[in-house]
Amino acid sequence: MFTDRMRKLKAMALDGIPEGIVLIHPDQTVEYVNDYAAELFKINSMDFIGKPVQNCISHTEHYGELQDMITGVIKTAQSVEQTWVDNKGQRSTVLLNPLIDPDSKLMMGVVIVLRNTSYIGQLEQGLLESEKQFQSMVESAREGIWQVNILGETVFANKKMASILGYSS
């Protein structure tokens, strides 16, 4: 049994994580919206508690898809994940999980987890640039560089090493 203190701690914990959390009742009303989700949806979370989820998401770019995903999870009790890029180039991942009561096996609702994953693209771009710089450095080195795997098979040899070994490239 949850006390008022436990409810408050639970809400504080959910509000403190850097992911949007929305709890949807099987009748598709909103039961909870954490601060990050409210920010992502550009809503006041308290205005949507107990209201149809459509009110919360109808102004979003992927309203129709998200509504279909919610309905699908409620019908199938299967998780679903989708990644979207909005008109500003921001990438988001949306994960919907059914909440099934372990005792009764009844659908208790759906939890929606929203993640802004735009930084992943930035990290990937940085990694690609770093790889190009490293490759350029290795290829232009005046020393021969030769990499072999545990079986003694050549994995990589730069141009200088190929020349040392008598190969043209």
Side-chain angles (χ1 to χ4, degrees):
M1 193 61 96
F2 264 33
T3 64
D4 286 339
R5 181 179 183 283
M6 290 301 293
R7 287 182 205 284
K8 187 173 183 177
L9 286 172
K10 180 178 156 187
M12 287 171 55
L14 289 172
D15 281 336
I17 62 173
E19 295 180 335
I21 305 290
V22 180
L23 298 177
I24 308 294
H25 189 275
D27 68 6
Q28 297 198 25
T29 56
V30 177
E31 293 196 282
Y32 177 80
V33 179
N34 77 347
D35 290 345
Y36 194 77
E39 183 181 318
L40 289 173
F41 283 130
K42 297 172 179 56
I43 60 170
N44 177 344
S45 60
M46 295 313 292
D47 291 344
F48 289 92
I49 304 301
K51 305 263 175 42
V53 70
Q54 295 87 341
N55 294 9
C56 184
I57 64 172
S58 62
H59 66 285
T60 64
E61 194 172 335
H62 299 283
Y63 162 71
E65 291 173 82
L66 188 53
Q67 182 61 52
D68 290 346
M69 290 168 66
I70 293 167
T71 302
V73 171
I74 291 171
K75 286 182 181 177
T76 66
Q78 298 292 313
S79 297
V80 64
E81 185 172 347
Q82 180 72 42
T83 299
W84 290 312
V85 178
D86 69 15
N87 55 16
K88 296 177 186 170
Q90 297 291 309
R91 187 164 59 174
S92 300
T93 300
V94 180
L95 174 66
L96 285 79
N97 281 320
L99 298 172
I100 308 294
D101 183 289
D103 298 325
S104 68
K105 307 294 186 222
L106 293 175
M107 169 73 69
M108 300 298 291
V110 176
V111 62
I112 302 173
V113 180
L114 306 153
R115 294 184 184 112
N116 181 341
T117 53
S118 294
Y119 67 91
I120 293 173
Q122 295 165 352
L123 292 173
E124 288 170 346
Q125 184 62 36
L127 181 59
L128 286 174
E129 289 173 18
S130 179
E131 286 175 352
K132 286 178 185 176
Q133 290 173 351
F134 180 76
Q135 186 171 4
S136 174
M137 182 180 70
V138 169
E139 285 297 334
S140 63
R142 295 189 304 178
E143 293 80 20
I145 300 174
W146 187 6
Q147 181 183 11
V148 295
N149 64 18
I150 196 166
L151 301 173
E153 301 165 334
T154 298
V155 175
F156 172 82
N158 69 350
K159 290 178 184 174
K160 181 68 175 179
M161 191 62 176
S163 174
I164 292 169
L165 296 174
Y167 295 98
S168 58
S169 61

